[in-house]
Amino acid sequence: MTIAQNLSRRGFLAGTAATSGGLTFGFHIPFAVAQTANQPEINAWVVVKPDDTVVIRIARIDMGQGSLTGLAQLVAEELDADWSKVTTEYPTPGQNVARKRIWGDFQTAGSRGIRGSEDYVRKGGAAARLMLMQAAADEWKVPVAEVKTSKGVITHAASNRSTTYGKMALAAAKIEAPKDIKLKDPKDWTIAGKPLKRLDTAPKLNGAQVYSIDFTMPGMLNAAIKETPVPGGKVKSIDAAKAEKMPGVKKVLTVDGNAVVVIADTWYRAKTALEAVEIVWDEGANANASSASIAAMLKEGLDAKEAFVGNKSGDVAAAIAGAAKKIEAVYAYPHQSHMTMEPMNATAQWTADKCMVWTGTQNAEAALATAVPASGLTIDKCDVIRLNPGGAFGRRSSSHDFVRQAVLVAKEMPGTPIKLIWSREQDTTHGTYHPTTQCKLTGALDDKGNVVGLHMRISGQSILAGLRPEALVEGRDPGTFQGLNAQGPEGQFGYDIPNVLVDHAMRNSPFRPGFWRGVNNNQNAIYLECFMDEMAHAAGQDPLEFRRKMMAKFPKHLAVLNTVAEKSGWGTPTAPGVYRGISQHMGYGSYVAAVAEVSVSDKGEVKIHRIVAATDCGHVVNPQQVAAQIEGSFAYGLSALLYGEMTAKNGRMEQENFDTYEVMKMAEMPPVESYPVPSGGFWGGVGEPTIFVAAPAVLNAIFAATGKRVRSIPLKNTDLRKA
Amino acid sequence: MARLTINGKTHDINVEADTPLLWVIREQVGLTGTKYGCGVAACGACTVHVDGVPTRSCSLPVSSFTEAQKIVTIEGLSPDVTHPIQKAWAELDVPQCGYCQSGQIMAAAALIATKPNPTDADINAEMTNICRCGTYNRIRAAIKLAASNTKRG
């Protein structure tokens, strides 16, 4: 449970106690009867208008990952809707409060957009269908068992009658929700499981899509912000005399004691005036923090006595002591920025009676929970309207700092809507960064080259310690061990090794961490999968065969590995100068593997020729969107591998914009062959998992090409020129 | 004071001379399809056509433009989303979040206007806009599809 959710739950209790009586959270009725009569809302998930348009309510946000379409497919499937008449809408978190959290939670993170709500949204669709059928049966005075549905039409064959969902909606809305709901077998799906086009493409082709930054209202002003460049710093003093006289400027103020804001008629004028404000910062305790000081702190943790244990079996110390061959390596992963294409922003309007926020967020409930204390009002007087985010990748769930600031700014000018936009520079230097860690791996091989022991000592940053310290479990951050846990439906260590120890010495960087697409799986997969390659090499064995020997107990891990081996032609000749690398991992409930084909020129230039990727996510709701997520995750993961690095000096992040924080572009993007290999029976995520295998597959291929082990990310810092 | 021709319409703009064209388009003219991504001409989200040439509008002051220059934004690329690039984008469901896609589409439309049959090398050289969702492969495929549709049509 997140801080935000805890806060919002407390807020919900406070805000709804008067009307709700004994409200139980964590339980909600996803298909309760509509509250207002004469509205064609069949239940919370389904509205059918008189013209047969079906409006499906979406609690999760679409930030590009396609789950808006996927969730609509699931509801429409159970509803037997006419897909050509399906549209969607986002309920607000305020409406969710007022209706006792009827839509469950709004969080869109952890690749849970679909898998976290598939059961109750499908039941919502199925319940609505049963209610529409009952309404028709009642009107026709026939048994409901004789009524059939197809594509939004209800028929009674015996009497040759038919009607539409639109005509029955008002009557259906008055019928009690059914209690016994049977969901379809996925093998009978005709809408879900199909490669349908996204519902939200058209407005993205002509500029019509309204992103958060595009939102406007009559009388709206704009605000630009500059926060302390050093984490924990404060505004000591400002001289705004010059800025206040600049065109369009309405007000110069400080927010939360650590940021300076200019409000003006347009954002560009606000930003220009902000640059003219003379600010003296009190830099505080972190003024000397640097990448070197952080790295030194992490290095110390690699051999520290105290560490949290994540995965332990057998006696790893004894196995290493008795090994025929011992291998050791240290890897490192830096801070990285999300770099969403749209910088953080939010619009707020505040009066003593009402506080409204319009923003792009991965968790509108958390945005509301942030807005409420900032507004000084009660939750029933606040709401958040969700707008489309231009990318999110975890940034818009890690912190709603921009929402808090927007509300505080709006409070300064009651009644006036104000849009606060972070400049790219403010955004890049005030992120919730990928946590930085190092890992020392020690492997023990017996005389036949079998792995008999593995110790992974992770040293570094905990996301929970930075964002939600109260969620730590006796000081320990379970998320640190993503993909390395002995068991669990989210991610399971996929090798059978008799003596294993994975432990974490928490060493927290002063730079705020966040959930960064893939999260801790990103570095954990690099550490484990590159070291697997190192051990295979030390054992003189093929990296694929070496892995396979340890994977008999993990058939799903093995199946995706075998898929990429087969599809890539592992073991067959490649083009001259091209080498292969392989990796596998499990995270967010899905099994993923990849083979990369890479060449390295004499000048040290890396070219990625081809990626072959496989995913077993259990059920596939839209194969086209799964493929798109796999392709996109390689762009994200390979950007991180090639370039991703925020460096610190004098307490400040050094990179401010895309000119210094490079990301992958078209010319470097390899072809990605994606193979969904859904084995059914479970629901895994797809928005993140294939990121995990992108970097290790490429790094292992670079070793095959050059004999050089790259153990520090990003790759741009390593000289791969031929000696 | 500036007079601009945007999407075939004349606009009299009363703003500081050093205001970038991007912010004039977004805040004075009110066309928000052209996006702010970096402000330093590094990402391409702000790409518009100036006399057919793809131009990063975030880094050029409004004072450097004249009424005679034809500025086209994503809203003016076609009256009804029928430009071959837009049609190919729809056919291949290119966008994910879509934020960069106005700029990508404008860059791609300019590319096929000058090179009706772009090679991979042409695409690599001309399509330097950033997409963080990672739609590059679909963009490449859609440009080729648009080129082949145009040839057929």
Side-chain angles (χ1 to χ4, degrees):
Chain A
M1 195 48 55
T2 66
I3 285 183
Q5 282 171 325
N6 285 336
L7 278 175
S8 56
R9 285 179 179 205
R10 282 198 292 278
F12 294 158
L13 280 168
T16 57
T19 53
S20 65
L23 194 54
T24 308
F25 287 101
F27 173 75
H28 57 278
I29 311 152
F31 35 89
V33 183
Q35 293 192 329
T36 318
N38 299 319
Q39 289 291 321
E41 177 185 302
I42 315 294
N43 61 33
W45 302 99
V46 177
V47 174
V48 185
K49 294 185 175 172
D51 67 355
D52 290 323
T53 302
V54 173
V55 182
I56 294 175
R57 303 254 178 72
I58 306 291
R60 304 295 200 258
I61 193 81
D62 203 303
M63 46 199 165
Q65 82 281 30
S67 58
L68 177 107
T69 303
L71 288 164
Q73 283 179 265
L74 288 174
V75 175
E77 176 66 57
E78 296 294 340
L79 181 61
D80 275 353
D82 177 350
W83 182 249
S84 69
K85 291 177 179 157
V86 168
T87 63
T88 59
E89 71 179 25
Y90 291 132
T92 73
Q95 291 164 347
N96 206 27
V97 169
R99 295 182 66 174
K100 306 175 192 177
R101 279 191 114 204
I102 197 166
W103 289 287
D105 77 77
F106 282 23
Q107 185 165 7
T108 313
S111 295
R112 281 187 198 85
I114 285 175
R115 69 195 177 102
S117 61
E118 52 78 21
D119 181 67
Y120 55 80
V121 305
R122 287 194 292 151
K123 283 178 178 160
R129 174 176 165 266
L130 294 173
M131 291 156 74
L132 287 158
M133 289 167 69
Q134 188 64 55
D138 290 352
E139 185 172 303
W140 296 332
K141 299 188 170 47
V142 300
V144 71
E146 293 178 7
V147 167
K148 292 199 168 4
T149 58
S150 174
K151 292 187 177 171
V153 175
I154 310 167
T155 52
H156 183 243
S159 61
N160 200 25
R161 278 179 291 192
S162 75
T163 187
T164 66
Y165 284 4
K167 293 195 179 91
M168 285 294 118
L170 281 177
K174 291 171 188 149
I175 287 172
E176 195 180 337
K179 289 187 179 63
D180 186 23
I181 296 167
K182 191 171 175 290
L183 295 176
K184 291 182 183 176
D185 186 324
K187 74 177 188 318
D188 299 325
W189 285 350
T190 59
I191 298 172
K194 304 301 171 200
L196 303 183
K197 289 280 179 68
R198 293 175 67 118
L199 293 170
D200 56 353
T201 293
K204 295 173 182 171
L205 305 179
N206 65 353
Q209 180 92 336
V210 177
Y211 296 88
S212 182
I213 200 171
D214 304 327
F215 182 71
T216 188
M217 288 174 79
M220 185 183 83
L221 297 176
N222 288 269
I225 189 165
K226 192 181 276 185
E227 254 182 278
T228 166
V230 180
K234 297 279 174 203
V235 176
K236 199 177 213 171
S237 64
I238 63 169
D239 180 352
K242 190 177 165 207
E244 280 166 349
K245 292 191 200 97
M246 290 173 72
V249 172
K250 308 291 181 188
K251 201 162 188 172
V252 180
L253 56 142
T254 59
V255 168
D256 270 338
N258 66 5
V260 178
V261 169
V262 173
I263 305 171
D265 54 355
T266 68
W267 185 76
Y268 193 75
R269 282 175 160 171
K271 176 184 179 285
T272 306
L274 180 59
E275 282 156 16
V277 180
E278 287 175 31
I279 310 168
V280 180
W281 301 102
D282 170 1
E283 298 189 355
N286 294 316
N288 295 319
S290 68
S291 293
S293 70
I294 296 166
M297 174 176 65
L298 267 52
K299 186 167 182 283
E300 178 276 325
L302 292 173
D303 297 307
K305 282 204 175 102
E306 299 280 319
F308 298 109
V309 173
N311 185 352
K312 188 177 192 299
S313 64
D315 183 342
V316 84
I320 291 167
K325 200 168 192 177
K326 178 180 145 184
I327 306 115
E328 194 172 280
V330 175
Y331 284 75
Y333 200 95
H335 279 306
Q336 296 174 324
S337 175
H338 293 88
M339 303 303 274
T340 59
M341 290 305 297
E342 178 194 25
M344 299 304 109
N345 65 84
T347 302
Q349 185 179 30
W350 186 94
T351 65
D353 300 319
K354 186 92 188 153
C355 177
M356 292 296 297
V357 174
W358 294 263
T359 195
T361 168
Q362 289 176 250
N363 187 349
E365 289 189 301
L368 179 60
T370 300
V372 169
S375 73
L377 305 176
T378 50
I379 195 165
D380 54 311
K381 292 178 174 166
C382 301
D383 207 351
V384 175
I385 307 295
R386 284 187 276 176
L387 300 170
N388 297 296
F393 313 122
R395 176 61 183 88
R396 295 181 212 271
S397 71
S398 295
S399 171
H400 288 86
D401 40 4
F402 51 98
V403 169
R404 175 177 169 78
Q405 292 165 348
V407 171
L408 293 175
V409 170
K411 265 172 99 170
E412 296 281 330
M413 298 185 78
T416 303
I418 301 175
K419 177 161 67 180
L420 173 73
I421 303 174
W422 283 18
S423 67
R424 172 59 64 193
E425 291 79 9
Q426 158 75 15
D427 187 286
T428 307
T429 53
H430 295 83
T432 56
Y433 303 105
H434 197 298
T436 180
T437 63
Q438 296 181 10
C439 184
K440 180 189 258 188
L441 299 104
T442 311
L445 300 180
D446 69 13
D447 54 4
K448 296 184 189 68
N450 299 309
V451 183
V452 291
L454 175 66
H455 180 198
M456 293 179 69
R457 161 57 65 86
I458 299 163
S459 171
Q461 195 168 17
S462 151
I463 298 172
L464 288 186
L467 295 183
R468 307 168 183 165
E470 76 285 0
L472 293 168
V473 182
E474 291 170 352
R476 172 180 177 274
D477 180 350
T480 310
F481 304 103
Q482 275 186 314
L484 305 175
N485 292 299
Q487 50 215 332
E490 281 295 283
Q492 185 179 23
F493 186 83
Y495 298 105
D496 187 12
I497 298 172
N499 303 286
V500 171
L501 176 61
V502 184
D503 54 8
H504 173 220
M506 193 186 292
R507 296 291 184 275
N508 289 317
S509 157
F511 293 93
R512 181 176 60 161
F515 300 97
W516 196 99
R517 194 177 184 186
V519 193
N520 291 303
N521 286 292
N522 294 330
Q523 73 272 15
N524 289 347
I526 291 173
Y527 300 156
L528 178 61
E529 285 301 294
C530 290
F531 193 66
M532 271 293 155
D533 229 61
E534 297 207 36
M535 291 195 291
H537 185 69
Q541 295 177 22
D542 172 74
L544 171 65
E545 291 307 325
F546 185 75
R547 285 174 171 79
R548 277 177 172 160
K549 284 193 301 182
M550 292 180 273
M551 295 176 71
K553 290 181 185 165
F554 304 99
K556 290 194 170 97
H557 294 75
L558 183 59
V560 289
L561 187 72
N562 284 339
T563 300
V564 295
E566 180 204 332
K567 300 292 184 184
S568 68
W570 187 268
T572 64
T574 50
V578 175
Y579 294 84
R580 293 193 183 101
I582 195 165
S583 66
Q584 66 87 18
H585 192 78
M586 182 194 177
Y588 299 118
S590 287
Y591 305 81
V592 294
V595 166
E597 293 186 354
V598 171
S599 63
V600 182
S601 73
D602 290 351
K603 290 181 192 161
E605 301 150 322
V606 173
K607 182 171 168 60
I608 305 165
H609 297 263
R610 180 188 182 209
I611 296 287
V612 177
T615 295
D616 180 359
C617 56
H619 294 296
V620 169
V621 176
N622 186 323
Q624 263 305 315
Q625 289 314 310
V626 172
Q629 286 310 295
I630 292 174
E631 292 160 23
S633 69
F634 277 93
Y636 210 75
L638 295 176
S639 276
L641 168 66
L642 298 178
Y643 302 114
E645 180 181 41
M646 293 297 295
T647 56
K649 196 177 170 185
N650 299 328
R652 292 154 164 81
M653 281 303 190
E654 294 189 284
Q655 292 72 27
E656 297 194 324
N657 206 323
F658 283 112
D659 52 356
T660 46
Y661 191 94
E662 275 187 88
V663 298
M664 177 182 261
K665 293 182 187 169
M666 173 73 81
E668 296 156 300
M669 181 71 194
V672 177
E673 298 165 35
S674 63
Y675 297 95
V677 284
S679 58
F682 67 98
W683 297 77
V686 294
E688 297 166 271
T690 36
I691 292 181
F692 319 148
V693 286
V698 169
L699 289 172
N700 290 339
I702 287 173
F703 174 78
T706 64
K708 288 182 187 170
R709 288 287 174 196
V710 179
R711 300 191 182 95
S712 180
I713 310 300
L715 195 52
K716 68 172 180 177
N717 296 339
T718 300
D719 185 353
L720 288 172
R721 280 177 300 186
K722 213 165 193 176
Chain B
M1 196 74 182
R3 176 167 285 191
L4 301 179
T5 306
I6 301 177
N7 301 336
K9 224 173 123 185
T10 307
H11 296 266
D12 286 317
I13 308 293
N14 191 5
V15 74
E16 292 72 61
D18 59 356
T19 306
L21 178 63
L22 166 68
W23 292 101
V24 169
I25 290 170
R26 287 183 60 83
E27 299 198 303
Q28 266 79 30
V29 181
L31 295 171
T32 56
T34 306
K35 300 303 188 207
Y36 167 61
C38 68
V40 296
C43 80
C46 65
T47 303
V48 298
H49 293 174
V50 179
D51 292 331
V53 178
T55 303
R56 296 190 174 180
S57 63
C58 72
S59 299
L60 293 167
V62 66
S63 57
S64 65
F65 294 88
T66 67
E67 185 186 354
Q69 287 171 299
K70 290 191 179 69
I71 297 168
V72 176
T73 70
I74 184 72
E75 290 90 347
L77 184 62
S78 69
D80 44 7
V81 203
T82 51
H83 187 282
I85 287 289
Q86 289 170 314
K87 284 162 76 177
W89 249 243
E91 194 169 334
L92 298 185
D93 247 356
V94 169
Q96 288 190 28
C97 89
Y99 191 83
C100 74
Q101 297 295 340
S102 296
Q104 303 278 7
I105 289 168
M106 295 308 280
L111 169 62
I112 64 161
T114 51
K115 290 184 174 152
N117 291 301
T119 62
D120 279 329
D122 294 333
I123 292 170
N124 289 346
E126 299 302 322
M127 296 299 295
T128 56
N129 295 21
I130 292 171
C131 171
R132 290 292 284 153
C133 297
T135 62
Y136 296 124
N137 290 348
R138 278 169 200 244
I139 289 173
R140 184 187 299 280
I143 290 171
K144 291 179 178 175
L145 177 65
S148 87
N149 284 346
T150 307
K151 214 165 19 188
R152 273 208 314 270

